[in-house]
Amino acid sequence: LSRYQEELIRVIEELRGESRTYKEISDYLKSKNFKSSRGKEMSPQLVHHMYKKYLRKIERENFIDISLKTDDS
């Protein structure tokens, strides 16, 4: 992830932690002039997709990390 994407995900995670909806998050990101990596305006669907994709990536990395640790045993 680029630094911009990391910052974007950090903000999304923080706001989801406050139980904000994807609509509220996209409105907040638009007000702060965040754009997608392709320069598109943030929509609730885009925020949802980005967040879920990030969670899958983290889950995959944790699975790989765990399996590497058990393979060495």
Side-chain angles (χ1 to χ4, degrees):
L1 295 174
S2 70
R3 286 184 183 214
Y4 181 77
Q5 289 170 320
E6 287 175 357
E7 175 65 14
L8 188 55
I9 291 296
R10 187 194 65 74
V11 171
I12 293 170
E13 272 189 313
E14 183 178 311
L15 295 174
R16 284 300 290 168
E18 297 173 5
S19 299
R20 302 278 183 99
T21 65
Y22 291 111
K23 169 83 170 106
E24 291 170 331
I25 295 170
S26 68
D27 289 344
Y28 175 81
L29 293 172
K30 284 189 258 188
S31 75
K32 298 295 182 185
N33 294 316
F34 277 98
K35 302 268 187 205
S36 75
S37 57
R38 295 184 181 203
K40 297 189 182 230
E41 193 172 84
M42 290 291 164
S43 69
Q45 295 84 1
L46 179 58
V47 172
H48 179 262
H49 177 74
M50 290 172 60
Y51 186 58
K52 293 299 180 182
K53 187 175 179 182
Y54 170 74
L55 292 178
R56 283 193 305 271
K57 178 181 184 291
I58 295 300
E59 187 176 298
R60 192 171 51 250
E61 288 173 355
N62 286 339
F63 177 76
I64 291 169
D65 185 40
I66 290 169
S67 63
L68 288 176
K69 287 179 183 176
T70 57
D71 287 346
D72 291 340
S73 302

